[in-house]
Amino acid sequence: MLRARGLFDCGDYHLLRRYERARQEDILAMQLTTDALQKLFNNTNPLLGVLRNIGLSLTDRLGWLKNRLVQHALR
């Protein structure tokens, strides 16, 4: 793939900087998501626990939503 674009050195500084910039948004989104999940699952608030379980059950039953989340995670 790199050779098709005329790039032979996958360690090229400019190539790596472009890749880093292109991935910044996805990396930030994953960081925010994992932080939110940690806070959601690491609490003792019973109401939040009930809401979390309802949300997880609903997501599990809605195949289209579950598939969309999986596809987004695999991008």
Side-chain angles (χ1 to χ4, degrees):
M1 188 182 210
L2 291 175
R3 286 185 187 193
R5 294 168 53 187
L7 302 169
F8 296 98
D9 182 9
C10 63
D12 177 68
Y13 175 78
H14 297 291
L15 173 68
L16 292 174
R17 286 292 294 146
R18 281 195 308 271
Y19 178 76
E20 178 185 30
R21 285 191 298 272
R23 296 287 301 149
Q24 275 182 334
E25 186 178 323
D26 288 331
I27 291 170
L28 178 60
M30 184 57 74
Q31 288 172 334
L32 294 173
T33 300
T34 54
D35 185 56
L37 286 171
Q38 188 274 334
K39 287 183 169 114
L40 182 63
F41 283 92
N42 192 25
N43 70 72
T44 56
N45 184 329
L47 178 60
L48 193 54
V50 169
L51 292 173
R52 176 191 64 224
N53 291 340
I54 290 170
L56 287 171
S57 294
L58 185 61
T59 302
D60 191 44
R61 281 184 267 148
L62 297 174
W64 65 269
L65 177 59
K66 189 184 338 184
N67 289 335
R68 184 154 183 183
L69 291 170
V70 168
Q71 290 305 311
H72 184 72
L74 293 176
R75 269 194 307 138

